[in-house]
Amino acid sequence: YNSYKIITESQKLSTGDYNNYGWDFNSLEKDNELFYNILLEEDSTEAVFSLNWNRSVINAPWINSKEYQESLADMSISICRLDGEDLALYDFSDSRIDNVEHIYLRGLPKGMYQLKVTTNAFTHFGIAWRAEPGNLPELEININLQDVRIECNNLIKGKEFTLQSSYDFENWATKHTFTANETSHEIIEKINNQKKKFYYRILWNPVN
């Protein structure tokens, strides 16, 4: 079904802005690069980007009776988040021996992303991506006289999360770090007669 959602989209040339699902068959000159801008209008629970290309057989006994010889372009892909004029690298895949590159992310916030393809030799390639819309981790906070009960919801199993607190939205202190075994996790913080206002946020790395 994942492949179906990709191939039912029209071919995406490396111009314009695209959405959660797309593919392209293209070619790239030596030491050149192509960019695909992907606009995610909703948060994504997981996102996959795959690049594939063929080996070129130069000589072979069944072709020209010569000893087998092949050539393989060294390609790579990377995914960055666009924030105004700034680019934040999220992840990249750059194997020197394979003819496939693959990036898998979980918990990707909505926004504009740039997928970059590079090569060291002329080659044709196929590229495809999908980003599944869904809810990202969030906090539900309940306060009483003794403590603060923080319910972390929509967690991604197996991923590490960090809970931080701040009094001014500028200086954040790490309170807890945990790996999610379930989709929810409760943390209890003692108030200790603290009268200042305080704020919480939960952080995670989409790559791990």
Side-chain angles (χ1 to χ4, degrees):
Y1 184 60
N2 289 331
S3 298
Y4 171 79
K5 289 188 287 187
I6 294 173
I7 63 176
T8 52
E9 288 287 328
S10 60
Q11 183 176 1
K12 312 298 185 183
L13 303 177
S14 57
T15 56
D17 297 338
Y18 303 115
N19 56 14
N20 297 60
Y21 306 98
W23 64 274
D24 187 22
F25 177 73
N26 212 324
S27 63
L28 198 54
E29 297 291 337
K30 178 181 178 181
D31 297 327
N32 214 330
E33 55 193 25
L34 281 177
F35 298 91
Y36 298 84
N37 290 332
I38 301 171
L39 176 61
L40 301 182
E41 296 183 341
E42 300 178 65
D43 298 327
S44 296
T45 54
E46 69 172 7
V48 180
F49 308 90
S50 295
L51 173 71
N52 183 259
W53 65 104
N54 290 328
R55 299 173 185 268
S56 297
V57 178
I58 301 172
N59 296 309
W62 62 88
I63 296 176
N64 53 15
S65 300
K66 294 184 178 181
E67 184 178 352
Y68 182 80
Q69 181 184 4
E70 67 175 28
S71 174
L72 178 65
D74 182 12
M75 302 194 74
S76 72
I77 55 172
S78 59
I79 184 72
C80 294
R81 181 180 174 89
L82 283 167
D83 287 316
E85 296 182 355
D86 297 327
L87 277 175
L89 176 65
Y90 269 43
D91 201 7
F92 67 94
S93 179
D94 185 15
S95 170
R96 294 182 178 274
I97 61 174
D98 297 312
N99 65 326
V100 61
E101 305 291 356
H102 185 79
I103 294 175
Y104 179 63
L105 305 175
R106 295 187 298 163
L108 199 62
K110 62 184 178 181
M112 178 67 78
Y113 293 85
Q114 187 178 84
L115 185 62
K116 178 182 177 181
V117 181
T118 69
T119 183
N120 71 338
F122 172 81
T123 188
H124 291 89
F125 67 89
I127 191 168
W129 66 86
R130 65 178 178 87
E132 303 298 333
N135 296 321
L136 294 188
E138 61 182 8
L139 300 178
E140 180 181 338
I141 299 176
N142 295 292
I143 303 174
N144 56 41
L145 295 177
Q146 289 78 33
D147 53 45
V148 179
R149 294 181 177 268
I150 305 165
E151 190 73 26
C152 308
N153 297 317
N154 301 326
L155 299 178
I156 303 166
K157 291 183 180 181
K159 186 174 286 295
E160 183 177 273
F161 292 90
T162 300
L163 179 72
Q164 294 185 334
S165 66
S166 173
Y167 296 109
D168 56 10
F169 285 108
E170 293 183 1
N171 301 294
W172 292 89
T174 296
K175 307 295 290 185
H176 296 276
T177 298
F178 63 94
T179 299
N181 295 318
E182 301 294 337
T183 57
S184 63
H185 181 79
E186 186 181 59
I187 297 173
I188 300 176
E189 284 271 292
K190 295 298 181 182
I191 292 180
N192 295 327
N193 297 320
Q194 179 59 259
K195 295 183 179 180
K196 291 183 179 179
K197 288 185 177 180
F198 47 89
Y199 309 92
Y200 290 95
R201 69 181 182 184
I202 189 167
L203 303 177
W204 65 94
N205 184 353
V207 177
N208 67 18

